[in-house]
Amino acid sequence: MNSIIRRAGSDLTEPLRRLLEGDPGSWLRVEEYREDGTLVVKAEVPGINPEKDVDITLVGNELQIDVRHEEKNEHKDKRGYRSEFRYGTFSRTVTVPGPVDEKDIRASYNDGVLEVRIPIPEGAEAASRKIPITRGNATGAAGSGTGERASAAQT
């Protein structure tokens, strides 16, 4: 399975890749939407210190968000002492539409929600075009191309 994942490389979306690798708990769940020419990425990550526990990096058109979370609870009572802890690193890569200057990216943390705002370059919206689909052999090129290949193979 891992060899298939390695060959597929970046063609797989990150959540699917992590699921196939058997590590769905290590990816950061995000909400991603566009608002007024801005790509907004939100992640619910309560109980962290954003200055210490969050790294946001931009490599090419990939925005990488890494969050470290550590939680420790201690209970002391007449029957004894109990300590519980949870920790882990969560990450997510988001593809940014078009070239973006990292100085224009804004990140904030409020009430347990990390929000990253990425301005979308003007050309990125216009680059999307709908491709028409034809039915059947509308141009006749498919039939003639097959015959040409067949006759070329025979000679």
Side-chain angles (χ1 to χ4, degrees):
M1 178 64 83
N2 283 337
S3 62
I4 294 170
I5 294 168
R6 278 192 294 272
R7 276 187 264 144
S10 62
D11 291 343
L12 294 174
T13 61
E14 184 168 2
L16 178 59
R17 181 182 57 80
R18 288 183 185 256
L19 178 67
L20 292 174
E21 288 175 350
D23 193 14
S26 67
W27 57 275
L28 184 64
R29 291 178 184 92
V30 299
E31 177 183 6
E32 188 178 327
Y33 59 92
R34 293 179 187 218
E35 176 182 84
D36 299 326
T38 302
L39 176 64
V40 180
V41 180
K42 290 183 177 181
E44 187 177 358
V45 285
I48 63 161
N49 178 348
E51 291 87 16
K52 186 180 87 174
D53 298 331
V54 178
D55 290 321
I56 302 173
T57 55
L58 181 67
V59 179
N61 66 337
E62 301 280 318
L63 183 78
Q64 176 76 33
I65 303 172
D66 296 308
V67 178
R68 290 170 299 285
H69 181 71
E70 187 173 323
E71 186 177 323
K72 184 175 182 180
N73 293 318
E74 295 180 1
H75 303 283
K76 295 180 185 178
D77 61 18
K78 294 178 185 177
R79 292 182 278 159
Y81 171 81
R82 187 178 87 218
S83 174
E84 295 181 16
F85 62 91
R86 293 187 316 190
Y87 60 90
T89 302
F90 306 94
S91 66
R92 186 68 177 264
T93 301
V94 176
T95 302
V96 177
V100 175
D101 188 353
E102 67 271 4
K103 294 177 219 145
D104 296 333
I105 299 174
R106 301 287 176 245
S108 62
Y109 182 77
N110 190 26
D111 293 333
V113 177
L114 175 68
E115 180 178 289
V116 182
R117 295 184 153 273
I118 307 143
I120 299 171
E122 288 188 29
E125 290 287 344
S128 176
R129 295 182 305 208
K130 184 168 175 71
I131 306 299
I133 301 171
T134 59
R135 282 186 173 262
N137 195 0
T139 61
S144 63
T146 305
E148 288 172 8
R149 273 188 242 120
S151 63
Q154 292 174 352
T155 53

